[in-house]
Amino acid sequence: MGDKELTLKILWSEEFNQDTGTEPNPVVWGRDIGDGTDYGIPGWGNNELQVYTFENAYVNSEQKLEIEAKRITGGSKGDAYYGPVQWTSARLVTKNKLHVQYGQIVIRAKVPSGKGLWPAFWMLGARMDEQGWPLAGEIDIMEWVGKAPLEALGTLHGPGYFGDHGCGGKLVSEKDFSDDWHEFGIRWKPGEISWQVDGETYFTATPESVAPNAWVYDQPFYFLLNLAVGGNLGGELAEDLPDSNKLLVDYIRVYEYEGHGQIFTL
């Protein structure tokens, strides 16, 4: 049974109510593609196989966002660090467009099935360009990997606790998360962040959780949404992994939480 339902004031939402085939609203969503070319060099510090493009993300006929990880089956998309590019995908970001500080943040999504896939909805501190990673902070609202289909992950990465040593938890389900739609989210207020799946809280972090290191989450953050292939967390790919794999998103919403929540549009 989930936590008691809360009546919350909505501060911002992305419902993807757009024409079929259009890209996510460019007023809100930019693209991270790596080196500034159409097909950026992949890796992102995680040895991932995909390159991120200006394509691979669009609104479908059911008004759901689709982010597609697509295998290159013909032609060439240039070279990656590992040789000819094998996969393309998309990484959306609200940096310098929309930033958030505090509130309840939720995403309703359906993750794709397959060992080696790694979808994520996460946040980076708005001072990233100035401070760098992990000093500016990272909040992973939802991570899931196909090699562990029963586990939903939520993690903080900050100064002194990052990568494999991040501060986080997981919810273990009896069913594969890729079988159905789920709402993943956080409740974020000064000095506290808790993680939920379908309203059930499974982990809470406070400054004491990262002590003696710094708690860097009482500041604005921006959103990232992507589908990675392989990499340090995604791992090896299934031999029968389809050529096309889609992360589906119904909505992203930000609510006021216990009087806290602010949206910054830049």
Side-chain angles (χ1 to χ4, degrees), residues 87-189:
W87 292 85
T88 60
S89 188
R91 174 159 136 164
L92 307 181
V93 58
T94 67
K95 181 181 180 180
N96 298 327
K97 295 174 180 286
L98 183 139
H99 296 177
V100 179
Q101 184 171 352
Y102 306 133
Q104 177 164 325
I105 300 166
V106 299
I107 180 171
R108 185 173 186 263
K110 189 175 188 298
V111 297
S113 175
K115 183 181 177 182
L117 299 176
W118 178 8
F121 177 52
W122 47 302
M123 306 178 78
L124 289 173
R127 300 178 65 186
M128 185 60 62
D129 287 348
E130 174 187 347
Q131 295 181 323
W133 186 91
L135 298 181
E138 175 180 329
I139 305 171
D140 297 335
I141 299 173
M142 179 279 289
E143 282 189 298
W144 179 89
V145 288
K147 67 182 181 183
L150 305 182
E151 299 178 2
L153 310 174
T155 313
L156 298 179
H157 300 275
Y161 50 101
F162 54 87
D164 291 341
H165 303 288
C167 173
K170 64 184 177 182
L171 177 67
V172 180
S173 172
E174 295 181 355
K175 296 182 179 179
D176 187 330
F177 275 98
S178 68
D179 287 347
D180 204 349
W181 290 84
H182 297 279
E183 189 178 77
F184 306 88
I186 60 170
R187 293 172 183 163
W188 176 23
K189 63 182 181 180

Side-chain angles (χ1 to χ4, degrees), residues 9 12 24 32 56 64 133 145 152 171 185 195 206-208 239:
K9 174 185 177 182
W12 174 85
D32 253 348
N56 295 71
K64 306 291 191 291
W133 186 91
V145 288
L171 177 67
W195 282 257
T206 67
E208 289 72 25
E239 293 184 0

Side-chain angles (χ1 to χ4, degrees), residues 51-114:
V51 292
Y52 291 125
T53 78
F54 288 112
E55 305 165 352
N56 295 71
Y58 54 90
V59 176
N60 66 21
S61 60
E62 298 180 350
Q63 294 187 312
K64 306 291 191 291
L65 173 67
E66 294 188 358
I67 296 182
E68 181 182 22
K70 187 174 182 180
R71 192 193 307 266
I72 301 300
T73 56
S76 174
K77 297 298 184 182
D79 291 327
Y81 71 94
Y82 54 81
V85 170
Q86 298 175 10
W87 292 85
T88 60
S89 188
R91 174 159 136 164
L92 307 181
V93 58
T94 67
K95 181 181 180 180
N96 298 327
K97 295 174 180 286
L98 183 139
H99 296 177
V100 179
Q101 184 171 352
Y102 306 133
Q104 177 164 325
I105 300 166
V106 299
I107 180 171
R108 185 173 186 263
K110 189 175 188 298
V111 297
S113 175

Side-chain angles (χ1 to χ4, degrees), residues 236-256:
E236 295 183 359
L237 277 57
E239 293 184 0
D240 60 349
L241 188 66
D243 292 342
S244 175
N245 306 270
K246 295 178 180 180
L247 168 64
L248 303 178
V249 181
D250 187 9
Y251 57 74
I252 299 170
R253 296 172 181 167
V254 181
Y255 300 88
E256 185 179 83

